[in-house]
Amino acid sequence: MGITFLAAGTSVPDCMASVIVARQGLGDMAISNSIGSNVFDILVGLGLPWTLQTLCIDYGSEVLGVHLNKWTLDWRLGLACLILYAIFLCFSILIEFNVFIFVNLPMCRDIH
């Protein structure tokens, strides 16, 4: 739940900035902001860890999902990432509800 709110919390300021500049008549800047932030997230958020993995930690290794897709980012890889994210969210929710391991104390009930 926290990761989902964190993702939304980091996207809302970008969205608000795009809306503000679009209302000021700078539509090109709004589009550039919305596309640029996502491209930055992909290039830095994915590129930097993958670069460190393949150059510093395990030299010559490959990023498995992209390698299996012949080094192209298309709808199949996007769908695979969405499915993996949905699985991650399900496991996160199940862990928060203490299904697998006990991580949260039970809530106190109001006594009337």
Side-chain angles (χ1 to χ4, degrees):
M1 194 69 176
I3 293 173
T4 303
F5 281 122
L6 179 66
T10 59
S11 298
V12 170
D14 282 337
C15 176
M16 297 310 291
S18 295
V19 168
I20 290 169
V21 296
R23 287 185 178 171
Q24 293 175 351
L26 302 170
D28 292 342
M29 183 184 245
I31 297 298
S32 296
N33 182 35
S34 66
I35 294 172
S37 65
N38 292 329
V39 170
F40 179 80
D41 290 344
I42 291 171
L43 291 178
V44 174
L46 294 176
L48 183 63
W50 288 351
T51 301
L52 292 174
Q53 169 69 28
T54 58
L55 291 178
C56 300
I57 298 171
D58 188 12
Y59 185 77
S61 64
E62 298 172 338
V63 180
L64 186 62
V66 180
H67 176 69
L68 291 175
N69 203 35
K70 298 182 177 130
W71 298 103
T72 57
L73 297 173
D74 59 2
W75 68 270
R76 292 181 296 176
L77 185 60
L79 183 63
C81 289
L82 282 174
I83 290 170
L84 288 173
Y85 183 65
I87 292 170
F88 166 76
L89 284 179
C90 290
F91 275 108
S92 296
I93 291 168
L94 291 173
I95 289 171
E96 287 295 321
F97 282 126
N98 297 326
V99 172
F100 298 118
I101 57 175
F102 186 75
V103 294
N104 292 317
L105 295 174
M107 300 293 287
C108 296
R109 298 181 185 240
D110 291 334
I111 300 174
H112 295 290

